């Protein structure tokens, strides 16, 4: 299942999901789940692969990947990659994952700012969905608003 998700083989993934009552839950490299593998990759049908997996098992959106001291979730991975359509799909299936934090206490907005993903920052700043996240400090006490204002990326956003 991991390899099908990583490769974007939607037909194979759907076949596995439909025929295996309980596919194994073994993780891939860096303790990544099959959902992380799909989100990381760039392939056609990414949004559909993510949706198929979340229909099968919503809890995948909440599983961490990485080590005990340095981990992240699928929403953080999508935010860092600037994949707005994947974030939209994740939130349609699991709206609660919006407030998830990584091992550094960062939400998806923190990650989008760190990675200079203008499209993602713009999406995440829509007030009806993310208004509280702008004020959440990470483990270092930095809020996304502070990070945005103090970064070169923030200065570019303000001037455009």
């Amino acid at each position: 299942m991991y390899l099908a998700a990583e490769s974007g083989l939607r037909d194979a993934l759907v076949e596995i999901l439909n025929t295996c009552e309980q596919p194994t839950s073994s993780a891939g490299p860096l303790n990544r789940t099959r959902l992380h593998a799909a989100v990381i990759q760039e392939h056609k049908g990414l949004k559909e692969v993510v949706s198929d997996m979340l229909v099968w098992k919503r809890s995948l959106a909440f599983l961490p990947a990485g080590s005990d001291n340095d981990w992240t979730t699928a929403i953080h991975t999508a935010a860092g990659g600037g994949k707005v359509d994947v974030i939209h799909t994740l939130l349609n299936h699991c709206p609660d994952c919006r407030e998830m934090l990584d091992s550094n206490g960062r939400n998806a907005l923190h990650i989008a700012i760190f990675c200079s993903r203008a499209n993602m920052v713009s999406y995440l700043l829509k007030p009806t969905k993310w208004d509280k996240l702008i004020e959440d400090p990470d483990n270092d006490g930095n809020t996304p608003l502070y990070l945005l204002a103090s970064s070169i990326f923030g200065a570019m956003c303000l001037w455009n």
Side-chain angles (χ1 to χ4, degrees):
M1 185 182 286
Y2 183 92
L3 292 175
E6 182 180 51
S7 303
L9 301 173
R10 184 173 183 219
D11 292 341
L13 182 67
V14 169
E15 185 66 27
I16 292 167
L17 294 175
N18 288 335
T19 58
C20 298
E21 289 183 26
Q22 292 196 352
T24 62
S25 61
S26 60
L30 300 174
N31 202 31
R32 291 184 188 130
T33 68
R34 44 209 167 270
L35 182 60
H36 289 99
V39 171
I40 290 168
Q41 298 304 315
E42 297 286 337
H43 51 68
K44 186 178 180 183
L46 172 63
K47 185 172 74 170
E48 291 79 13
V49 168
V50 169
S51 183
D52 291 340
M53 283 191 284
L54 291 173
V55 166
W56 173 70
K57 195 173 206 176
R58 287 186 59 231
S59 63
L60 290 174
F62 301 96
L63 294 176
S67 67
D68 288 341
N69 299 327
D70 187 25
W71 52 268
T72 188
T73 67
I75 196 164
H76 295 92
T77 302
K83 298 176 181 177
V84 172
D85 55 340
V86 173
I87 294 274
H88 187 76
T89 301
L90 283 166
L91 292 176
N92 279 340
H93 291 280
C94 309
D96 292 341
C97 74
R98 168 178 62 226
E99 297 178 13
M100 291 198 54
L101 303 176
D102 67 7
S103 59
N104 295 307
R106 297 178 187 140
N107 60 42
L109 186 54
H110 282 99
I111 302 302
I113 293 167
F114 277 130
C115 295
S116 299
R117 300 296 186 178
N119 63 332
M120 184 61 66
V121 171
S122 177
Y123 177 80
L124 296 179
L125 286 175
K126 290 182 181 176
T128 58
K129 296 180 181 178
W130 301 88
D131 53 345
K132 182 185 177 304
L133 297 184
I134 196 81
E135 301 169 356
D136 286 345
D138 63 13
N139 291 352
D140 295 325
N142 298 318
T143 67
L145 183 59
Y146 171 79
L147 293 174
L148 184 60
S150 65
S151 69
I152 293 172
F153 174 64
M156 290 187 312
C157 289
L158 293 173
W159 289 108
N160 288 334

